[in-house]
Amino acid sequence: MIQPIQYNEKQFIIINDMTHSLFYFFDFDERASQVNMEFEHFHSYYEIHILLSPNAIHFLEGVPYPIESHDFVLLPPSLLHKSCYPEKEPSKRLIITFMYPENALGFRDSYNDLLSPFYSDTRIYRFPEKQLGILTDLINQMVNLAFQDQPERAFSTQELSGTKELVLHSLFIRFLYCLNQFQDSNIYEKNEITDKVTERIYSVSNYIHTHYREDMTLDELARESYMSPYYLSHQFKRITGYTLTQYIQWVRVRNCQFLLLNTAEKVTDIALECGFSSFSHFNRVFRKFCNESPSEYRKNHAGEGQHVSGSKSPATPPGISTDS
């Protein structure tokens, strides 16, 4: 019988933070439907989302994926995503965020291979009992290592150092190795949407995510979805809660935000790269959505970038979002 992942609410494990080139952050917590994110967001680091409640929905670049308890959602840096939790009781989940230095501790090719599941076409993994048991056991070993001297674990933060952080790193590398080796055992199958209109709308939203750099018109999107422009506009707002223009602008702004925090590119170049036809239009749209200019955003949110310093409370390392 599989040992479930040991869960204690508001339990955190920390090794370093985003001011370092290597960090880990384990976040055991609950999320209620009332705090479901309004729009998809990105991270500058790797994230593993493990649902510990019966069900939820995870959006990846505009497409909804139903997930179940102990499904693994693997998110590479810059991928737009959000979680939507069901109503009634809050949903338990474990989120593991981490980042490795650019030189991968001298093992670049090996680390690239370990991280390959994050870049596969399928980023949601559901494993048979045998493989799942190995993965959950490794997670529990890491949790026990961190809290072995703490009999009362709930509402507790453990910042590891010394040999403990080295051992946890070794266990996590083993965990990633197993994820890599178990890729072919993935039994996750996305449930088909029976409502054909909804299916088409989510295809349009995904098209926007993958073509946001290009000019997009309502007529073009209508042709792609085999709908009339009027019907597409109406159904898109009904299903997503956004107008087509709002959705396109949000996707472009989100991708601009990532480049502002993680590159040294000029703001004007970023605007053009993300599909804005002019800098003045970009500046106006960005300020409308973010309540600050692109330059102000780059300065004020520097700590959320992959290689930039910042500071938050000890329970939330710099740049870490706990909204998933």
Side-chain angles (χ1 to χ4, degrees), residues 110-127:
S110 299
Y111 275 78
N112 287 343
D113 186 41
L114 276 179
L115 295 169
S116 63
F118 289 81
Y119 297 96
S120 68
D121 292 336
T122 303
R123 293 192 175 95
I124 300 178
Y125 291 83
R126 180 177 298 160
F127 294 108

Side-chain angles (χ1 to χ4, degrees), residues 93-194:
R93 85 288 185 276
L94 164 62
I95 292 180
I96 304 173
T97 57
F98 66 97
M99 182 59 73
Y100 296 138
E102 290 185 352
N103 67 0
L105 305 173
F107 298 93
R108 183 184 297 274
D109 292 342
S110 299
Y111 275 78
N112 287 343
D113 186 41
L114 276 179
L115 295 169
S116 63
F118 289 81
Y119 297 96
S120 68
D121 292 336
T122 303
R123 293 192 175 95
I124 300 178
Y125 291 83
R126 180 177 298 160
F127 294 108
E129 186 170 310
K130 178 181 178 181
Q131 289 83 353
L132 179 60
I134 293 171
L135 294 169
T136 58
D137 179 65
L138 285 166
I139 292 174
N140 287 335
Q141 285 186 52
M142 289 183 268
V143 174
N144 288 331
L145 171 73
F147 292 94
Q148 62 186 10
D149 301 323
Q150 302 289 326
E152 193 66 40
R153 293 182 176 181
F155 303 97
S156 177
T157 298
Q158 284 296 98
E159 297 190 51
L160 302 189
S161 59
T163 56
K164 273 193 176 183
E165 63 179 336
L166 181 60
V167 174
L168 187 141
H169 174 65
S170 299
L171 286 169
F172 195 79
I173 293 299
R174 175 69 180 174
F175 172 78
L176 290 178
Y177 174 79
C178 290
L179 273 177
N180 186 295
Q181 295 298 300
F182 298 161
Q183 285 185 83
D184 293 339
S185 300
N186 187 12
I187 57 175
Y188 178 83
E189 291 185 4
K190 182 177 180 293
N191 295 334
E192 294 300 322
I193 300 173
T194 55

Side-chain angles (χ1 to χ4, degrees), residues 188-256:
Y188 178 83
E189 291 185 4
K190 182 177 180 293
N191 295 334
E192 294 300 322
I193 300 173
T194 55
D195 179 352
K196 294 301 180 183
V197 173
T198 301
E199 184 178 20
R200 287 186 184 182
I201 293 302
Y202 284 131
S203 293
V204 171
S205 65
N206 183 249
Y207 181 90
I208 293 169
H209 279 270
T210 54
H211 293 79
Y212 66 89
R213 295 181 178 88
E214 306 167 12
D215 290 333
M216 280 181 281
T217 65
L218 174 59
D219 288 341
E220 177 190 357
L221 294 172
R223 286 194 299 270
E224 287 287 333
S225 58
Y226 301 100
M227 297 180 182
S228 71
Y230 173 80
Y231 190 68
L232 171 60
S233 295
H234 177 73
Q235 295 300 325
F236 195 91
K237 178 65 185 298
R238 179 182 70 84
I239 292 170
T240 69
Y242 296 91
T243 68
L244 273 164
T245 298
Q246 288 171 332
Y247 199 91
I248 293 169
Q249 289 179 341
W250 254 127
V251 171
R252 286 173 172 164
V253 166
R254 286 296 196 218
N255 282 278
C256 286

